Amino acid sequence: MAVAEFLYSACSITATASTDRHCSSSSFLPSKAYRLLKYHPPGLQLTSSPRRQQAFKLVCSAAPQQVEAPAPAASAAVSPSLNGKPKLESSECYGVFCLHYDFKTDGETRAWKKLIKVAVSGAAGMISNHLLFKIASGEVFGQDQPVALRLLGSERSFRALEGVAMELEDSLFPLLREVSVGIDPYEVFKDAEWALLIGAKPRGPGMERGDLLDINGKIFAKQGRALNAVASRNVKVIVVGNPCNTNTLICLKNAPNIPAKNFHALTRLDENRAKCQLALKAGVFYDKVSNMTIWGNHSTTQVPDFLNARILGLPVKEVITDTQWLEHEFTQKVQKRGGELIKKWGRSSAASTAVSIVDAIRSLVFPTPEGDWFSSAVYTNGNPYGIADDIVFSMPCRSKGNGDYELVEDVIIDDFLRQRIKKSEAELLAEKKCVAHLTGDIFRFKKCNLNGNGYCDLPGDTMLPGEQ
Amino acid sequence: MAVAELSCHGLCSSSATNGNNHGSSFLSSKLYRSSSFLPSHLHGSQFQPRQRHHPLKLVCSTAPNQAQQQSQTAQVAVSPSVNGKPKSDSSQCYGVFCLTYDLKAEDETRSWKKMINVAVSGAAGMISNHLLFKLASGEVFGYDQPIALRLLGSEKSFEALEGVAMELEDSLYPLLREVSIGIDPYEVFKDAEWALLIGAKPRGPGMERADLLDINGQIFAEQGKALNAVASRNVKVIVVGNPCNTNALICLKNAPNIPARNFHALTRLDENRAKCQLALKAGVFYDKVSNVTIWGNHSTTQVPDFLNAKIHGLPVTKVITDMKWLKEEFTEKVQKRGGVLIKKWGRSSAASTAVSIVDAIRSLVTPTPEGDWFSTGVYTSGNPYGIAEGIVFSMPCRSKGDGDYELVEDVIIDDYLRQRIKKSEEELLAEKRCVAHLTGEGIAYCDLPEDTMLPGEQ
C-alpha cells in the first residue's frame, strides 16, 4: 500500500504536458504518469486529414490494482470496443513503454543524457527489424543516451508494428524508455530529433522508373510536410527508401523550415561494400581501408572513388596497380553486390543495410577520425566540387560529432572521376525534373506531360540490382 | 610492390600452421588459408559425410597480382571448375576473412585478448541473422575480444550461408577476424570455445512429439560427438533448437569428455518475457524486475517463479497482490507470448530470441550483479532442490563471469511451486526415456502425455 500512496500524491501535481516527467516525488520510485494516446485501429474509417490535437491524457494510479488497470488498457486500446467511438489520432505508446520516468531520482540513470526521440518509418520491415534493436541497445547513440522510438507504419502493417513493439518489450533494453506506434506521420514525427525514413513502395510489375519516382515521391512529400510541421527544428533526416536521393530532395523541399543540410540519403552501404572490395583485392583486412567516397546517386551511376581512397594510409593506386580492375570491375562489383546477395539467399541485405545506417548515424554523432571522411548524399548547395546546386548528391563529409558535417575540400578529381560524376549529376537533374510537381518546381519547367506531372526523360533504369 | 615483397620473405616458408606470426614490418603478416570445399551441387555418390582430414592448405602471396589471384581463388573456390576434383572437407574460410593477422603488431589491436572461436549451427536462419551481427559488433564478448565465427549450415542452406558471410564482410566489424562456413560439424566445431546450437528440424505436418524428439535428437547426438572430438575441452554449449532441454541432454551424453555443466538449454527468452509481464502488471519499468527464475522444461510445463522474484528489491507478492493473476494468468501470458507474436506479424520472434541468447552468454562472461541471478537449463546433477538427477532443467544460477556458474541455494520453494516443478520434471524424465537410444541409456520407451511445445515455435 505504501507504494500506491506515494504515487497518488505524485499524480495530482502533474496533469498537463506529457513531457513533464519531473514529478517531485521523494520516494525512490520513479514518478509514473501514464500517457495514453488515442489510437485509430485499422479497419475503421480513416479520414485523410490528420488532426494534430493534444492527445495526451494522464491517468494516475491510486492503489496497486488501479496501477495495474491502465496498463492493460494501453494494450487493449488496440481493440476498438474498449475505446468507444474512433478518434483520428493514430499514435499509441505501447505496453510497458506507456510509463514515464524521472531519471534524476534513479541512481543508475542520473548520469544519462536527456531522452532523444528517434522516428522510424517502414518500422515493420526487415531493415527496421535489425535497426530498432541496435538503436535500443545503445550501440548507436551511446550507453548513456536514453531513446524514445516512434514507429511509423501503415494500416496494413499496423499489427506487425505491434509485434515489433512486443519484441522490443521482451528485450528489456534499459535505454529504451518509450515506444510509440502509429500510422500518421504528423503524430509519429512529433518532436523527433532523428527521422530514419526506411519505408518506401517497392516496384510493381511493369512499373517504369518515372512511376516509381512519382509514387514514392508522394510519400516523401507528405513526410517532408509532416516533419516541417511537428518535428524538432533541427531534426536530422536519413532517407533509406529508394530512390533515396530524389526522395530526400522531395522531402527537404517540402520541409522549408528545416535546414536542407540536415537531410541525408544513405550511401553508406555502398561505401562499406566498396571498402570490402578494395580490401579483398589488396589482400588486407577491411579496417585498413579509409577515405572511401561514393559520389552521386544511389543507383548504377554511383561513383566509387578509388582515386582518393587509401589503404594503410597510402593512395589505393599505389597499392592496387591493376588500373583496369579499378576503372572497370571495381564499380561493378560494388554495384552488383546486392544482386549477388539476393541470388545467394533470396533475401535482400537487411542486416548489412541496418549496419550501414548505424554507421551513418554514428558518423554524425561521433567526431570523424583525423584525416578520414565518410560518404553521405547531401544537398549540393555551396559545394566546392562544381557539382550542380539543388540536388542531393553523395559526397565526402567530416563531422565534429554534433550532428552536423562539412564537405571535404582536399580531394582530387581527375578527368575519369569528373566524367563519371557528371553522368550521375545528369541523372539526378533528370530525376528532379521528373518530380517537379512534388518539389514545387512545376512552374519552372515549360514541358509537362498530360497528367500534370513533371517531365520525365529518364534514359534507362538505373536501380541497383537486389533492391526493390 | 613493396607491400607484396615484405609479406613473402621469411614469413611464408616458416610458419605454415597457425596464424600467430611475428611480422616485423608494419604490415600484418598475411597467410592465406583456403580450405577446399565440396559445393552442394556436386553431392551425390561422391559425398562422404564424415571425413576428418586436415583441410587447411596455406597459400602464400608473392606479388600483388598473385595476392589478388589467391584471394580470388579463395572466393571462387566455390565453383568446382577451379578446384579440380572435389574434396570432402566442408569448411571454408570466406572472402576477406581468409587472411590471418598478427594482432600484436598493431597499436589498435595490441591490447586485445586472444581470439576466441564461436561456432554457430543453423547459421543461415533468422535467429542467426540477428545474432551473428551482434557477436561481430563486440556487444556480446566485449570490445577488446576479437572473434572467429564458424558457421554450420546444411547442403540446402549453403548458398544462404555464403550470403551471410558476404553481409558480414560488408559490415566491416573490426573485431570479426575470421569467418568459416561449412556443413560438417567435425570441421566447423574445431577448437570452438563456444557452440551456439540454433539449428533444428521443424515439425512436419502430422508429426508426433516423439518423432520430433527423435529426429532432432539424431542431429544433436551427432553434434555432441563432433564437439567431443574436436571442440575445446572447456567449450560452452548453448542449445536453442527445440526441444532444447532434451536436445541439450542428448548432446552432452554424446560428449563425455566435455563437462556436463558446460551445456545449457536456452530459457532466457522466457525469463525476459516473464520480467516484462511482471513489469506491465506492476506498472513499473522492466529494469526494476529481478530474480526471475524459469524452472523446468522450455515447454508448456515451464514454471515462471513469482515467489522468489523481486520488483524494486521487494518480493513480487508484496507489489502485485493479485494472487489469482500470479497463479493462473502470469504463466499463461509468458508461455503464449510467442504465439501472440506469430499472430501479430506472421514471423517468429527471431530478434528477441537473439537478444536473449546475447543475454545468456553475457550472464556467463560478466559477473552476476550482487543479489541477482539468471535462469538457464542445465544438468541437474548435484542440485540442492531435490530435482531428479540426470536431466537438463532450468534453474537459478549465478556466475563470476568466467564462463562457469553455480546454482543459487537461497530460494524458497512452496507447495505450489513444488507441484509445478514436479510436473515439468516428470515430462523431462519421460522425454529422456523416449530418447534413450540416443543417450546410450538403453531402449527407448515413449510415453509422452501430450504435445507441450510452446505456441509460436516450430
Side-chain angles (χ1 to χ4, degrees), chain A residues 262-278:
Chain A
N262 284 23
F263 290 78
H264 301 253
L266 187 79
T267 52
R268 187 53 172 269
L269 183 55
D270 309 294
E271 176 185 326
N272 289 355
R273 287 170 169 170
K275 283 182 172 173
C276 180
Q277 292 304 314
L278 286 178

Side-chain angles (χ1 to χ4, degrees), chain A residues 7 20 27 52 54 70 74 82 95 112 132 150 153 213 284 293 307 312 316 324 335 358 370 372 380 384 387 389 410:
Chain A
L7 298 168
D20 181 359
S27 80
R52 296 180 281 293
Q54 275 305 104
L82 271 174
W112 283 2
L132 298 177
R150 311 185 63 101
L213 280 169
V284 299
T293 313
L307 182 63
L312 285 159
V316 158
Q324 164 79 359
Q335 288 179 5
V358 171
E370 191 67 41
D372 201 356
T380 46
I387 297 167
D389 270 356
D410 46 313

Side-chain angles (χ1 to χ4, degrees), chain B residues 51-67:
Chain B
Q51 290 198 348
R52 297 183 278 293
H53 300 186
H54 273 283
L56 300 179
K57 183 179 83 162
L58 292 171
V59 173
C60 295
S61 58
T62 50
N65 286 340
Q66 281 185 346

Side-chain angles (χ1 to χ4, degrees), chain B residues 40-102:
Chain B
S40 52
H41 53 279
L42 280 188
H43 288 186
S45 51
Q46 284 173 321
F47 177 61
Q48 285 141 41
R50 222 172 280 106
Q51 290 198 348
R52 297 183 278 293
H53 300 186
H54 273 283
L56 300 179
K57 183 179 83 162
L58 292 171
V59 173
C60 295
S61 58
T62 50
N65 286 340
Q66 281 185 346
Q68 290 139 24
Q69 268 174 17
Q70 300 300 8
S71 60
Q72 282 167 8
T73 307
Q75 274 181 297
V76 302
V78 178
S79 88
S81 53
V82 175
N83 252 359
K85 80 171 187 189
K87 306 240 175 76
S88 53
D89 315 290
S90 53
S91 182
Q92 180 200 165
C93 68
Y94 196 84
V96 76
F97 299 111
C98 288
L99 309 172
T100 350
Y101 304 93
D102 182 2

Side-chain angles (χ1 to χ4, degrees), chain A residues 1 3 28-30 32 34 64-65 67-68 71-72 75 78 94-97 99 101 106 108-109 112 124-126 129-130 133-134 137 139 143 159-174 176-177 269 271-273 275-277 279-288 312 314 318-322 325 333 337 340-341 343-345 347-353 355 359, chain B residues 1 3 26-28 30 32 64-65 67-68 71-72 75 78 94-97 99 101 106 108-109 112 124-126 129-130 133-134 137 139 143 159-178 269 271-273 275-277 279-288 312 314 318-322 337 340-341 343-345 347-353 355 359:
Chain A
M1 286 302 155
V3 168
F28 66 93
L29 295 169
K32 298 200 292 242
Y34 286 69
Q65 275 84 356
V67 168
E68 294 139 26
S75 4
V78 177
Y94 195 85
V96 76
F97 298 111
L99 309 171
Y101 304 92
D106 201 332
E108 282 162 16
T109 60
W112 283 2
M126 293 306 299
N129 199 230
H130 285 89
F133 291 82
K134 292 182 201 288
S137 75
E139 180 184 339
Q143 299 293 337
R159 282 172 72 90
L161 260 194
E162 291 181 303
V164 177
M166 287 168 69
E167 284 212 78
L168 284 167
E169 272 189 321
D170 289 344
S171 299
L172 310 181
F173 289 119
L176 180 61
R177 291 286 159 159
L269 183 55
E271 176 185 326
N272 289 355
R273 287 170 169 170
K275 283 182 172 173
C276 180
Q277 292 304 314
L280 270 165
K281 183 68 173 172
V284 299
F285 199 56
Y286 42 58
D287 64 350
K288 301 293 177 280
L312 285 159
L314 299 169
E318 280 171 36
V319 180
I320 298 174
T321 54
D322 188 349
W325 184 89
K333 277 194 171 287
R337 189 72 158 177
E340 269 192 57
L341 268 162
K343 282 202 209 106
K344 287 289 177 187
W345 73 335
R347 299 194 277 257
S348 67
S349 53
S352 49
T353 305
V355 171
D359 289 344
Chain B
M1 289 302 160
V3 167
F26 69 93
L27 297 169
S28 20
K30 298 200 292 243
Y32 287 81
N65 286 340
Q68 290 139 24
S71 60
Q72 282 167 8
Q75 274 181 297
V78 178
Y94 196 84
V96 76
F97 299 111
L99 309 172
Y101 304 93
E106 293 176 45
E108 282 163 11
T109 60
W112 284 3
M126 293 306 299
N129 199 229
H130 285 89
F133 291 83
K134 292 180 201 288
S137 75
E139 179 185 340
Y143 291 97
E159 290 229 314
L161 259 195
E162 289 181 308
V164 176
M166 285 167 70
E167 284 212 79
L168 284 167
E169 272 189 321
D170 289 343
S171 300
L172 310 181
Y173 286 119
L175 288 163
L176 180 61
R177 291 285 160 160
E178 280 181 36
L269 183 56
E271 176 185 325
N272 289 355
R273 286 171 171 171
K275 283 182 173 171
C276 180
Q277 292 304 314
L280 269 166
K281 183 67 172 173
V284 299
F285 198 57
Y286 42 58
D287 63 350
K288 301 293 177 279
H312 279 295
L314 300 170
K318 290 215 168 65
V319 179
I320 299 174
T321 54
D322 187 349
R337 188 71 159 177
V340 175
L341 267 163
K343 284 203 204 105
K344 286 290 179 188
W345 73 335
R347 298 194 278 256
S348 68
S349 53
S352 48
T353 305
V355 171
D359 290 343

